[in-house]
Amino acid sequence: QVHLAESGGGSVQAGGSLRLSCTVSGTTDFSGCVQWFRQAPGKEREAVSTTFLRGGATVYYPDSVKGRFTVSRPDADNMVYLQMDNLKPEDTATYYCALAVRGGYCTRDGAGLNFWGQGTLVTVSS
């Protein structure tokens, strides 16, 4: 059974950094893509990034995170990281990772994803 688990969330002051981890277990199918989403209180879920696991390329969506957030998968294994630097109060949200395997796909609305993590809360204070 495929399972995704996020970790690394917490509270930080504006300007600080956090690194979120997404651990994927129960599958060796890394042919698809991994996405990070976030959902702030009272707001709709927002796609943060898509990483294509075969080529390693990453697309970042909100202009507000470009240059501050970096996705990596250094060992090409079952861990995907979201490094978040120069955090701002508006980054406060629950962050989720999600996986698309064979038959799935990655889009900004998350409709094609096969598996989701439970989320990790990031709180940025001013």
Side-chain angles (χ1 to χ4, degrees), residues 12-15 87-90 92 123-126:
V12 65
Q13 289 190 327
L87 282 160
K88 303 177 180 181
E90 51 263 42
T92 294
T123 303
V124 185
S125 58
S126 58

Side-chain angles (χ1 to χ4, degrees), residues 44-85:
E44 293 188 353
R45 186 178 64 198
E46 175 184 46
V48 174
S49 66
T50 294
T51 298
F52 298 95
L53 296 175
R54 278 187 170 168
T58 297
V59 178
Y60 301 94
Y61 297 116
D63 288 340
S64 62
V65 307
K66 294 177 182 178
R68 299 189 299 119
F69 288 13
T70 305
V71 174
S72 66
R73 186 171 167 243
D75 298 319
D77 58 9
N78 64 329
M79 299 287 294
V80 180
Y81 302 97
L82 177 64
Q83 177 70 39
M84 305 185 295
D85 297 318

Side-chain angles (χ1 to χ4, degrees), residues 4-9 20-23 36 95-98 116-120:
L4 276 68
E6 302 93 341
S7 61
L20 305 185
S21 301
C22 175
T23 303
W36 285 96
Y95 284 73
Y96 302 87
C97 64
W116 290 79
Q118 81 289 348
T120 186

